[in-house]
Amino acid sequence: KLARCAAGTAPVDPIPGDSPPVVDAPVRTCPGCGTSMKNWRRHMARCCPDHLDMASWREDAPYVWEQTLQRYGEDSLHARVMRMRFGFDGAEPATFEEIAGEVGLKTYRVAETVQAALQAVPMRADDVPVQVLFEDESVLAVAKPPRINVTPRNRNRGGALLNRALHHLRKGAFCDGDGISTPTQETHARDAAGPAGAPGDDGAPYVVHRLDYNTSGVVLFAKTRSAAAHLAEQLRDSGKVTKCYLALCGDGPAGPGALPAAAGGWFEVDGPIGREDRSRQMVRPDGKKALTWCRVIPAAEDTLARLLLARPVTGRTHQIRVHAAHAGLPLLADEVYGVESSLLSRHALHAWRVAFSHPASGERIQVSAPLPDDFSKAMDQLGLRLPADIERLADIPPSQQAKSPSYESVVQLVTWQLVQRKLHLLHDNVLRSAYLQLGNSELAASSGRCSTPDAGWRMRPAPSAVS
């Protein structure tokens, strides 16, 4: 194997504890237009989606053809090219070269026509009512039900909260703070450029932030480009947008370094979060900075679960679920990080309250979402109640609030972590070489991962079930 490695015919094993080598993305050729690119999935979705995913394209094709006819007309060049390319109206699908000879255009012009027609298809709007929590000319806040995505798989596919919000905006009315619908003078106030959340001029709102598929609660959308940029800047600056979640938790072992979760007062869970595999995060020292303030609402001693208030300072993937499990408070019905429970069919997490500064006026806006039915029923069966002073309990005293880390401090922390990791690797290599020179192969073999900083930081197994 060493000879093959030296000859370049076999991969070289990385040094134990070292980061994996960076591999360039493969370059592929589009089967439709023949263009070579690295981001081939995005290109094929806009050029030849039938080659990317045939099953998905069969579902999307009727809507694409309907919108093409509505936009360009049946006798237009775009409609003729799309009919021949994808076999609409019973036509036989043809290649770009065959279409070019039929319509008298260059092959690249045919490809550009198909790509323009596909990108001009507006996002599908679902005629499903949404629960509007706050709305004006700049911001739309809605209550997301559980078991629904915030954004669809593609713009031709519905079934997401964004599709419902788009239909709400296309109705030409908005709800004020009292829930009264009022017609707008300009239903879709847009800037010249297309929206960040859904490219195009179809009036789709900007996606400001997201929630997990099974998480319910407040979701913010921006109606204009300037409002989206302002809200995105607030989200990047820790502390300007405050979020408060409600969770139902069981009991479990706390992770290493976690502070004890005392009932009644606020405590912080400060644990960097990194990826463990494709679908699971974990607390690990080489992860990204993550901080969550938590508070256990006092309840009766005989209750099998506890109500948790969680206020994330940072916005990492699955942050509250990971930090709750790390603090010994795993979420009920969370199949990835928590404990089993027959009370809910999804993890018990609700984005209860969001506060932000209005993009136009600068006024502080606070939006709350009522508890969904499954969450409320689970609380009733567990004997838990929302305290009458829940609004006061959800506010962290200024003396306890952690100062938001500056950009410079984060850079210094990451740099020191990289230096520390390289020093550990250098230390291991020196020990290994010394042991080999002394002829002690067993010590050389055991000197690999013994001093790496990420030893002993894996998440512990999920605790026992809560009935």
Side-chain angles (χ1 to χ4, degrees):
K1 182 177 180 181
L2 290 175
R4 286 163 40 220
C5 290
T9 58
V12 180
D13 293 337
I15 299 175
D18 200 0
S19 58
V22 178
V23 180
D24 292 337
V27 178
R28 301 195 181 187
T29 302
C30 176
C33 63
T35 304
S36 298
M37 82 297 292
K38 291 185 178 181
N39 194 356
W40 56 277
R41 287 188 178 275
R42 181 178 180 182
H43 173 85
M44 290 178 64
R46 301 180 178 183
C47 180
C48 49
D50 53 335
H51 290 284
L52 182 62
D53 189 346
M54 178 57 73
S56 177
W57 171 248
R58 290 193 185 100
E59 300 180 18
D60 300 339
Y63 177 75
V64 172
W65 180 234
E66 174 190 349
Q67 296 299 320
T68 301
L69 294 179
Q70 183 176 347
R71 181 179 181 88
Y72 298 104
E74 187 174 358
D75 298 329
S76 63
L77 174 64
H78 289 77
R80 291 174 55 198
V81 170
M82 291 287 286
R83 183 185 295 109
M84 290 186 287
R85 170 63 185 85
F86 298 107
F88 293 135
D89 286 347
E92 189 69 21
T95 63
F96 285 151
E97 291 78 8
E98 295 172 347
I99 299 174
E102 184 72 21
V103 300
L105 291 176
K106 297 289 186 181
T107 304
Y108 75 92
R109 289 293 186 186
V110 174
E112 290 177 351
T113 303
V114 172
Q115 294 170 11
L118 288 174
Q119 295 183 48
V121 175
M123 176 172 288
R124 185 189 291 268
D126 292 344
D127 188 5
V128 180
V130 293
Q131 184 179 2
V132 179
L133 305 175
F134 174 83
E135 185 177 10
D136 61 7
E137 295 291 349
S138 301
V139 181
L140 171 65
V142 300
K144 175 189 173 298
R147 291 175 291 276
I148 183 176
N149 289 317
V150 175
T151 56
R153 183 176 180 181
N154 58 59
R155 62 188 302 101
N156 307 323
R157 188 74 56 88
L161 187 65
L162 179 61
N163 304 104
R164 301 181 183 183
L166 174 58
H167 181 268
H168 170 78
L169 295 181
R170 285 181 177 175
K171 291 190 303 183
F174 75 91
C175 299
D176 58 15
D178 298 328
I180 303 176
S181 298
T182 308
T184 59
Q185 297 180 355
E186 185 178 1
T187 307
H188 312 303
R190 320 288 303 174
D191 291 344
D201 55 353
D202 50 9
Y206 294 77
V207 178
V208 177
H209 69 111
R210 307 169 193 267
L211 293 178
D212 291 339
Y213 174 80
N214 283 323
T215 304
S216 58
V218 183
V219 173
L220 298 179
F221 294 104
K223 293 186 176 181
T224 63
R225 186 187 182 96
S226 58
H230 195 281
L231 290 175
E233 182 180 358
Q234 293 185 55
L235 287 169
R236 285 192 298 267
D237 192 349
S238 302
K240 288 192 175 181
V241 176
T242 58
K243 304 177 184 179
C244 188
Y245 290 72
L246 292 173
L248 299 179
C249 304
D251 291 323
L259 297 176
W266 287 98
F267 63 95
E268 65 174 10
V269 182
D270 188 357
I273 294 179
R275 184 178 296 276
E276 182 178 7
D277 53 41
R278 292 184 60 125
S279 60
R280 182 183 174 95
Q281 307 289 324
M282 63 181 295
V283 175
R284 51 189 305 167
D286 58 346
K288 295 182 179 179
K289 171 70 176 178
L291 175 63
T292 306
W293 283 95
C294 300
R295 183 172 194 169
V296 177
I297 302 300
E301 296 182 357
D302 57 346
T303 55
L304 298 176
R306 288 183 280 183
L307 180 63
L308 179 71
L309 279 171
R311 289 188 53 169
V313 179
T314 54
R316 307 303 175 202
T317 303
H318 301 170
Q319 175 174 321
I320 295 178
R321 298 162 61 190
V322 173
H323 275 177
H326 186 69
L329 298 168
L331 268 63
L332 300 187
D334 190 343
E335 298 179 353
V336 182
Y337 310 102
V339 294
E340 298 179 357
S341 176
S342 60
L343 301 179
L344 294 101
S345 59
R346 51 102 180 188
H347 57 246
L349 184 62
H350 176 69
W352 169 55
R353 193 177 74 178
V354 175
F356 60 95
S357 298
H358 194 275
S361 63
E363 178 187 0
R364 195 65 178 173
I365 304 296
Q366 182 171 288
V367 183
S368 300
L371 296 178
D373 293 338
D374 61 344
F375 201 97
S376 298
K377 292 179 180 178
M379 289 183 59
D380 292 339
Q381 296 181 17
L382 292 170
L384 298 174
R385 297 288 186 273
L386 277 181
D389 56 345
I390 184 65
E391 294 285 348
R392 180 188 61 82
L393 294 175
D395 293 331
I396 303 178
S399 58
Q400 292 187 0
Q401 295 185 17
K403 183 180 179 181
S404 302
S406 62
Y407 176 78
E408 292 77 9
S409 62
V410 173
V411 170
Q412 293 176 2
L413 176 62
V414 173
T415 304
W416 168 242
Q417 289 179 347
L418 292 176
V419 171
Q420 188 180 27
R421 188 178 186 87
K422 294 301 181 182
L423 289 176
H424 277 283
L425 294 176
L426 179 61
H427 176 262
D428 292 340
N429 292 336
V430 170
L431 285 180
R432 190 182 301 110
S433 300
Y435 291 142
L436 287 175
Q437 291 179 4
L438 293 175
N440 195 331
S441 58
E442 295 183 359
L443 287 177
S446 64
S447 62
R449 292 184 179 269
C450 62
S451 60
T452 51
D454 52 350
W457 275 78
R458 293 181 61 83
M459 188 70 70
R460 297 187 179 185
S464 59
V466 175
S467 60

